[in-house]
Amino acid sequence: MTIETLVAQYGLPAIFLGAGLEGETVAILAGVIAHSGTLGFWPTLVTVALGSFVADQIFFLCGRFFRQARFVRRVSQRPFFAKALAAFEKRPLLFTFGFRFIYGFRTVSPIAIGTTQLSTARFLLINALAAATWALVFVSAGYWFGNGIEAAFGQLRLHHRLLACLAGAVLFVAALAVWTRRRWMPKGL
């Protein structure tokens, strides 16, 4: 069985889980896979958006209904949790829409928002719009990155392209993480 066959058979469920758990790297890689033609662009985009939406909705509900659970208590002790609440208090709608674009805030923020007075219905609507926008940005970046890889390296076999794009996606996310840490973390941490 080839890599192309595996991706075609199990790609969308794996992308759904990865987008919810990992995020940007999976979304970019999904765009690269869509570029290769193994999966369609639109099904890939919808799957990434749904994976992100469902994960953030679950994290929000954990913050809302399971505040005393060990997982929620442990997350609430992280430095990013207090920063997420502070950012939410300043601009609740903007932060609720944009937290997934800020590396390091992805898991903590929906839990923190779940502990606030923002209604579940309002979070659901904002989360859906933000997940769709986020998926469009990162899947498209992977799709276009796939064009660049193909132009730079010619017709590589699919698994070589995927490995090269995965390395590029990891580097992109690492650079984003360094930038975000410098931007959002207090000096000395």
Side-chain angles (χ1 to χ4, degrees), residues 45-59:
L45 179 72
V46 169
T47 301
V48 168
L50 284 174
S52 177
F53 170 79
V54 168
D56 290 336
Q57 206 62 41
I58 289 169
F59 289 136

Side-chain angles (χ1 to χ4, degrees), residues 56-130:
D56 290 336
Q57 206 62 41
I58 289 169
F59 289 136
F60 172 83
L61 294 172
C62 285
R64 176 65 37 104
F65 298 111
F66 301 104
R67 293 177 190 184
Q68 298 307 315
R70 176 190 279 170
F71 169 73
V72 175
R73 284 196 328 256
R74 191 172 60 232
V75 168
S76 68
Q77 294 171 355
R78 293 183 184 172
F80 277 122
F81 192 88
K83 284 186 143 300
L85 282 176
F88 176 83
E89 293 300 323
K90 287 180 186 173
R91 293 192 176 98
L93 296 179
L94 181 62
F95 182 76
T96 301
F97 183 85
F99 72 80
R100 73 187 71 233
F101 291 94
I102 305 169
Y103 189 82
F105 280 70
R106 185 167 166 79
T107 304
V108 170
S109 295
I111 295 171
I113 294 168
T115 66
T116 69
Q117 297 300 314
L118 184 71
S119 74
T120 303
R122 193 166 209 173
F123 182 81
L124 185 107
L125 177 63
I126 297 168
N127 186 29
L129 293 171

